[in-house]
PDB file of all heavy atoms in Angstrom:
ATOM      1  N   GLY T  44      28.427 -11.494   3.728  1.00 91.00           N
ATOM      2  CA  GLY T  44      29.373 -11.599   2.719  1.00 91.00           C
ATOM      3  C   GLY T  44      30.404 -12.610   2.742  1.00 91.00           C
ATOM      4  O   GLY T  44      31.480 -12.612   1.886  1.00 91.00           O
ATOM      5  N   GLY T  46      29.799 -15.701   1.701  1.00 94.00           N
ATOM      6  CA  GLY T  46      29.751 -16.689   0.661  1.00 94.00           C
ATOM      7  C   GLY T  46      28.558 -17.658   0.915  1.00 94.00           C
ATOM      8  O   GLY T  46      28.536 -18.724   0.167  1.00 94.00           O
ATOM      9  N   LYS T  47      27.640 -17.394   1.799  1.00 95.00           N
ATOM     10  CA  LYS T  47      26.552 -18.408   2.080  1.00 95.00           C
ATOM     11  C   LYS T  47      25.718 -18.399   0.845  1.00 95.00           C
ATOM     12  O   LYS T  47      25.321 -19.497   0.443  1.00 95.00           O
ATOM     13  CB  LYS T  47      25.745 -17.755   3.316  1.00 95.00           C
ATOM     14  CG  LYS T  47      26.497 -17.693   4.523  1.00 95.00           C
ATOM     15  CD  LYS T  47      25.672 -17.236   5.711  1.00 95.00           C
ATOM     16  CE  LYS T  47      25.001 -15.835   5.623  1.00 95.00           C
ATOM     17  NZ  LYS T  47      26.072 -14.763   5.511  1.00 95.00           N
ATOM     18  N   SER T  48      25.271 -17.243   0.386  1.00 96.00           N
ATOM     19  CA  SER T  48      24.370 -17.330  -0.794  1.00 96.00           C
ATOM     20  C   SER T  48      25.054 -18.019  -2.030  1.00 96.00           C
ATOM     21  O   SER T  48      24.328 -18.749  -2.813  1.00 96.00           O
ATOM     22  CB  SER T  48      23.991 -15.960  -1.286  1.00 96.00           C
ATOM     23  OG  SER T  48      23.218 -15.420  -0.146  1.00 96.00           O
ATOM     24  N   THR T  49      26.434 -17.763  -2.201  1.00 96.00           N
ATOM     25  CA  THR T  49      27.041 -18.333  -3.247  1.00 96.00           C
ATOM     26  C   THR T  49      27.101 -19.791  -3.162  1.00 96.00           C
ATOM     27  O   THR T  49      27.039 -20.471  -4.078  1.00 96.00           O
ATOM     28  CB  THR T  49      28.498 -17.691  -3.287  1.00 96.00           C
ATOM     29  OG1 THR T  49      28.499 -16.235  -3.321  1.00 96.00           O
ATOM     30  CG2 THR T  49      29.458 -18.215  -4.370  1.00 96.00           C
ATOM     31  N   GLN T  86      14.971 -14.603  -0.101  1.00 92.00           N
ATOM     32  CA  GLN T  86      14.548 -13.593   0.899  1.00 92.00           C
ATOM     33  C   GLN T  86      13.314 -12.875   0.560  1.00 92.00           C
ATOM     34  O   GLN T  86      12.330 -12.721   1.248  1.00 92.00           O
ATOM     35  CB  GLN T  86      15.550 -12.650   1.284  1.00 92.00           C
ATOM     36  CG  GLN T  86      15.142 -11.633   2.311  1.00 92.00           C
ATOM     37  CD  GLN T  86      16.266 -10.836   2.973  1.00 92.00           C
ATOM     38  OE1 GLN T  86      17.504 -11.117   2.696  1.00 92.00           O
ATOM     39  NE2 GLN T  86      16.004  -9.934   3.813  1.00 92.00           N
ATOM     40  N   ASP T 162      17.331 -19.251   1.021  1.00 97.00           N
ATOM     41  CA  ASP T 162      18.320 -18.280   1.370  1.00 97.00           C
ATOM     42  C   ASP T 162      17.732 -17.082   2.108  1.00 97.00           C
ATOM     43  O   ASP T 162      16.956 -16.259   1.604  1.00 97.00           O
ATOM     44  CB  ASP T 162      18.782 -17.645   0.004  1.00 97.00           C
ATOM     45  CG  ASP T 162      20.017 -16.762   0.238  1.00 97.00           C
ATOM     46  OD1 ASP T 162      20.453 -16.440   1.407  1.00 97.00           O
ATOM     47  OD2 ASP T 162      20.707 -16.368  -0.717  1.00 97.00           O
ATOM     48  N   GLU T 163      17.931 -17.116   3.464  1.00 95.00           N
ATOM     49  CA  GLU T 163      17.321 -16.158   4.419  1.00 95.00           C
ATOM     50  C   GLU T 163      15.818 -15.899   4.110  1.00 95.00           C
ATOM     51  O   GLU T 163      15.277 -14.785   4.006  1.00 95.00           O
ATOM     52  CB  GLU T 163      18.123 -14.837   4.290  1.00 95.00           C
ATOM     53  CG  GLU T 163      19.564 -15.020   4.714  1.00 95.00           C
ATOM     54  CD  GLU T 163      20.327 -13.696   4.750  1.00 95.00           C
ATOM     55  OE1 GLU T 163      19.754 -12.779   5.287  1.00 95.00           O
ATOM     56  OE2 GLU T 163      21.523 -13.582   4.584  1.00 95.00           O
ATOM     57  N   VAL T 194      19.982 -21.009   4.512  1.00 97.00           N
ATOM     58  CA  VAL T 194      20.961 -19.924   4.837  1.00 97.00           C
ATOM     59  C   VAL T 194      20.366 -18.906   5.844  1.00 97.00           C
ATOM     60  O   VAL T 194      19.231 -18.507   5.612  1.00 97.00           O
ATOM     61  CB  VAL T 194      21.478 -19.251   3.625  1.00 97.00           C
ATOM     62  CG1 VAL T 194      22.184 -17.970   3.905  1.00 97.00           C
ATOM     63  CG2 VAL T 194      22.345 -20.166   2.803  1.00 97.00           C
TER      64      VAL T 194
HETATM   65 MG1   MG Z   2      23.276 -13.757   1.084  1.00 69.62          MG
END
Side-chain angles (χ1 to χ4, degrees):
Chain T
K47 303 181 293 293
S48 297
T49 303
Q86 180 165 355
D162 194 349
E163 301 189 33
V194 167

